[in-house]
Amino acid sequence: GENVEQHPSTLSVQEGDSAVIKCTYSDSASNYFPWYKQELGKGPQLIIDIRSNVGEKKDQRIAVTLNKTAKHFSLHITETQPEDSAVYFCAAGRDGTVWREGGKLIFGQGTELSVKP
Amino acid sequence: GAGVSQSPSNKVTEKGKDVELRCDPISGHTALYWYRQSLGQGLEFLIYFQGNSAPDKSGLPSDRFSAERTGGSVSTLTIQRTQQEDSAVYLCASSLRPPPRTDTQYFGPGTRLTVL
């Protein structure tokens, strides 16, 4: 079935360093790839997303790259800050052909990022 | 504007009892999703609503789980005869534009269910 693998499960970096989280997906029809940040006791919050018609997207310190051939995508956080510490989830989804299809997201297992001051 | 809200925030119940979890989506969002997050795990899709219809129930783990949505807005997830393995955080999300195009999903804070 559909599957998303996420690595690493934990990541510790020094403030100011970069952090990279990688995901691979199994469904070749996937065309939507969001990244969510989840802080303790809160619901996931979208931080960036990318569609399969582009290979890279940036938003300030955050960037996502997509390699459709290899079926993997990555989140890059530069100049990390302590407030970036959280659990990050990647997900993959695909558009359906009719209204009753599509929408469902398949999530990775999460990466706990710790940024040390 | 208000985000997705869920109630209760925490629910402790005894094995064998029924529970109801509520989700209020963002006003105007036509699509609504339920996910389950077990301790230290990713999110697991349960069910999706478009309006009051549930075209995709593929993620419901057993027939003890059911959900409904009324008025194209509020949704209730019901778990009958709860088991300890049902303990998890149940998350609701809504999106403005409905499938078939996959749109940004906005999540609520979740309901933490503990079955003793």
Side-chain angles (χ1 to χ4, degrees):
Chain A
E2 303 148 327
N3 187 48
V4 174
E5 296 286 337
Q6 182 172 346
H7 300 280
S9 56
T10 60
L11 179 59
S12 181
V13 299
Q14 287 294 133
E15 182 178 1
D17 288 350
S18 295
V20 180
I21 303 170
K22 299 182 178 181
C23 291
T24 59
Y25 59 98
S26 61
D27 184 359
S28 57
S30 296
N31 62 349
Y32 175 66
F33 307 93
W35 285 88
Y36 285 87
K37 175 183 180 182
Q38 187 175 31
E39 296 175 328
L40 198 62
K42 297 183 178 180
Q45 180 180 16
L46 179 77
I47 55 172
I48 195 167
D49 58 8
I50 191 170
R51 291 200 173 268
S52 59
N53 56 342
V54 298
E56 184 176 6
K57 184 177 179 180
K58 289 184 179 180
D59 183 3
Q60 299 182 348
R61 297 187 296 110
I62 294 172
V64 57
T65 58
L66 171 65
N67 183 328
K68 283 207 70 178
T69 303
K71 291 194 286 188
H72 68 70
F73 57 113
S74 301
L75 177 72
H76 305 252
I77 306 174
T78 59
E79 301 173 18
T80 54
Q81 301 166 3
E83 51 265 38
D84 294 330
S85 297
V87 179
Y88 291 80
F89 291 96
C90 63
R94 63 170 176 172
D95 296 341
T97 53
V98 294
W99 70 273
R100 62 180 63 85
E101 298 176 353
K104 176 174 70 175
L105 295 177
I106 306 300
F107 281 83
Q109 298 302 297
T111 296
E112 184 174 3
L113 173 64
S114 175
V115 180
K116 301 187 183 303
Chain B
V4 177
S5 61
Q6 293 186 245
S7 61
S9 55
N10 280 283
K11 177 70 176 178
V12 180
T13 190
E14 294 179 346
K15 179 181 173 181
K17 300 283 190 181
D18 297 352
V19 295
E20 284 189 354
L21 312 179
R22 177 188 169 106
C23 171
D24 279 277
I26 295 172
S27 178
H29 280 202
T30 58
L32 185 148
Y33 307 84
W34 283 98
Y35 293 86
R36 179 170 70 174
Q37 185 175 28
S38 300
L39 186 63
Q41 299 296 308
L43 283 70
E44 173 191 7
F45 170 80
L46 297 179
I47 187 170
Y48 140 64
F49 285 92
Q50 171 54 33
N52 293 337
S53 299
D56 190 350
K57 307 178 183 179
S58 63
L60 294 178
S62 76
D63 58 9
R64 296 185 296 105
F65 288 72
S66 63
E68 65 175 12
R69 189 179 185 194
T70 55
S73 182
V74 172
S75 177
T76 303
L77 177 68
T78 301
I79 309 173
Q80 295 179 311
R81 305 181 301 281
T82 52
Q83 304 294 311
Q84 288 183 333
E85 59 264 28
D86 299 334
S87 296
V89 175
Y90 289 82
L91 290 158
C92 175
S94 68
S95 66
L96 176 61
R97 288 179 290 272
R101 179 176 169 87
T102 305
D103 195 18
T104 300
Q105 293 182 23
Y106 298 89
F107 282 84
T111 294
R112 181 176 296 279
L113 175 66
T114 303
V115 182
L116 301 177

